[in-house]
Amino acid sequence: MLTGNLERAFQLAEKHRLDVSTILELNKIIVREVNMPGKVEEKVLLQMLSVLENNTHILKEVT
C-alpha cells in the first residue's frame, strides 16, 4: 500500500505544484487526526490541498 500512497503523493504534488514530502506529511497528519476510512482521509487531503492552492492564488494577487 505504501507504493500506492507514494504514487498518489507524486500525482498530487505534480498537480498542485507542491513538494512530495509536503503531501506525505499532510497525509500522515490527516490519518492520525481523522482516524476514519481511506475515502474520508482522501477527501480531507484534497480539501486541504485546495485550501493551500487557493491561499497561494490569493497571495499572488495581493502582491
Side-chain angles (χ1 to χ4, degrees):
M1 187 67 182
L2 180 60
T3 305
N5 287 341
L6 190 56
E7 183 180 345
R8 183 69 176 142
F10 272 103
Q11 291 170 349
L12 290 171
E14 184 178 345
K15 178 180 179 184
H16 296 282
R17 290 180 260 143
L18 292 170
D19 195 43
V20 174
S21 62
T22 303
I23 303 288
L24 292 172
E25 287 300 315
L26 278 173
N27 199 38
K28 274 198 282 188
I29 293 167
I30 292 166
V31 167
R32 186 174 55 236
E33 296 296 324
V34 172
N35 195 22
M36 295 186 99
K39 289 188 181 211
V40 173
E41 294 167 355
E42 176 79 11
K43 287 181 181 180
V44 171
L45 178 60
L46 293 175
Q47 288 175 352
M48 289 189 74
L49 292 173
S50 177
V51 167
L52 288 173
E53 192 173 306
N54 289 337
N55 287 346
T56 303
H57 289 297
I58 291 169
L59 288 173
K60 285 181 182 176
E61 289 177 6
V62 170
T63 55

